[in-house]
C-alpha cells in the first residue's frame, strides 16, 4: 500500500522539509510505529535524500528527487531516485571498530543503512530500502 509519494527540489532544505512532513504523516497514519522505527526512518530518509540531492543531482536547480514509501505488513519500503547518472558502491565492509572505516569520507552512510535496514539495493540512480517496523509495546497487556 502506497503511504507517501513526493517530488522534491534538489536542496537540503527541501529534504529537511519533506522528512519533517513524513514524520508527522507517519505518526498520524501509523501511530503504532515505535520510537526506534521512527528514528530509523528519519535517518534513512535523510541519508538517501541528501545523497540524491548532493551526489545524484549535484544541487542542480532543475533536477528533482522522487520518493515513494510503501507499507507491506510490518515492512516499510522506501524508493528514492534522482536525475543523476547513478553511483557505484564498493564492496568494502564497514567496521565500526576499524579506524580506517570510521575515518573514510565516502560510503559510511551506505554502510550504516545496511546495518539499519533489512535490505538495501542500489541500481544506477535508484535506491530501495526495506525496513522492518516495530510496534509500540502495550502497557499492562
Amino acid at each position: 500500500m502506497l503511504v507517501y509519494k513526493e517530488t522534491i527540489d534538489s536542496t537540503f532544505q527541501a529534504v529537511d522539509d519533506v522528512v519533517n512532513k513524513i514524520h508527522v504523516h507517519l505518526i498520524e497514519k501509523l501511530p503504532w510505529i515505535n520510537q526506534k522505527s521512527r528514528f530509523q526512518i528519519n535517518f534513512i530518509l535523510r541519508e538517501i535524500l541528501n545523497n540524491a540531492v548532493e551526489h545524484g543531482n549535484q544541487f542542480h536547480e532543475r533536477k528533482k528527487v522522487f520518493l515513494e514509501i510503501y507499507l507491506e505488513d510490518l515492512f516499510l519500503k522506501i524508493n528514492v531516485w534522482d536525475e543523476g547518472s547513478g553511483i557505484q558502491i564498493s564492496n568494502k565492509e564497514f567496521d565500526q571498530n576499524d579506524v580506517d572505516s570510521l575515518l573514510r569520507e565516502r560510503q559510511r552512510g551506505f554502510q550504516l543503512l545496511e546495518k539499519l535496514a533489512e535490505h538495501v539495493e542500489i541500481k544506477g540512480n535508484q535506491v530501495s530500502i526495506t525496513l522492518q517496523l516495530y510496534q509500540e509495546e502495550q502497557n499492562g497487556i
Side-chain angles (χ1 to χ4, degrees):
M1 164 179 74
L2 182 65
V3 175
Y4 194 87
K5 183 175 181 176
E6 186 84 43
T7 301
I8 66 169
D9 294 331
S10 291
T11 67
F12 287 152
Q13 183 61 54
V15 169
D16 189 52
D17 292 345
V18 79
V19 171
N20 289 333
K21 190 170 21 170
I22 291 167
H23 180 77
V24 169
H25 181 78
L26 290 178
I27 288 172
E28 289 174 358
K29 299 292 182 190
L30 307 171
W32 52 266
I33 297 176
N34 75 4
Q35 202 62 24
K36 175 184 175 183
S37 291
R38 288 184 192 144
F39 171 82
Q40 290 173 317
I41 294 165
N42 186 298
F43 180 88
I44 288 168
L45 286 171
R46 288 182 188 281
E47 182 64 29
I48 61 178
L49 291 170
N50 281 336
N51 280 343
V53 165
E54 181 179 1
H55 303 295
N57 290 346
Q58 299 177 344
F59 299 104
H60 193 281
E61 62 188 39
R62 290 195 176 125
K63 292 185 178 182
K64 301 294 183 189
V65 176
F66 308 93
L67 165 69
E68 294 178 347
I69 301 174
Y70 295 89
L71 179 65
E72 298 172 3
D73 295 320
L74 289 179
F75 293 91
L76 207 64
K77 184 165 185 177
I78 301 169
N79 296 319
V80 171
W81 63 100
D82 56 53
E83 297 185 87
S85 60
I87 62 170
Q88 296 291 326
I89 297 292
S90 76
N91 291 329
K92 183 169 175 150
E93 191 69 26
F94 177 76
D95 180 356
Q96 63 186 8
N97 298 313
D98 177 37
V99 174
D100 289 336
S101 284
L102 292 171
L103 297 177
R104 188 172 68 222
E105 283 194 38
R106 293 290 176 216
Q107 297 183 10
R108 286 182 298 197
F110 173 73
Q111 303 295 338
L112 289 171
L113 290 176
E114 286 187 314
K115 300 288 185 195
L116 289 175
E118 296 298 312
H119 180 74
V120 178
E121 182 177 7
I122 298 175
K123 287 186 179 177
N125 65 343
Q126 182 172 348
V127 178
S128 296
I129 294 179
T130 303
L131 175 67
Q132 183 170 359
L133 299 175
Y134 297 95
Q135 298 181 23
E136 289 286 357
E137 292 186 21
Q138 303 296 317
N139 292 329
I141 295 178

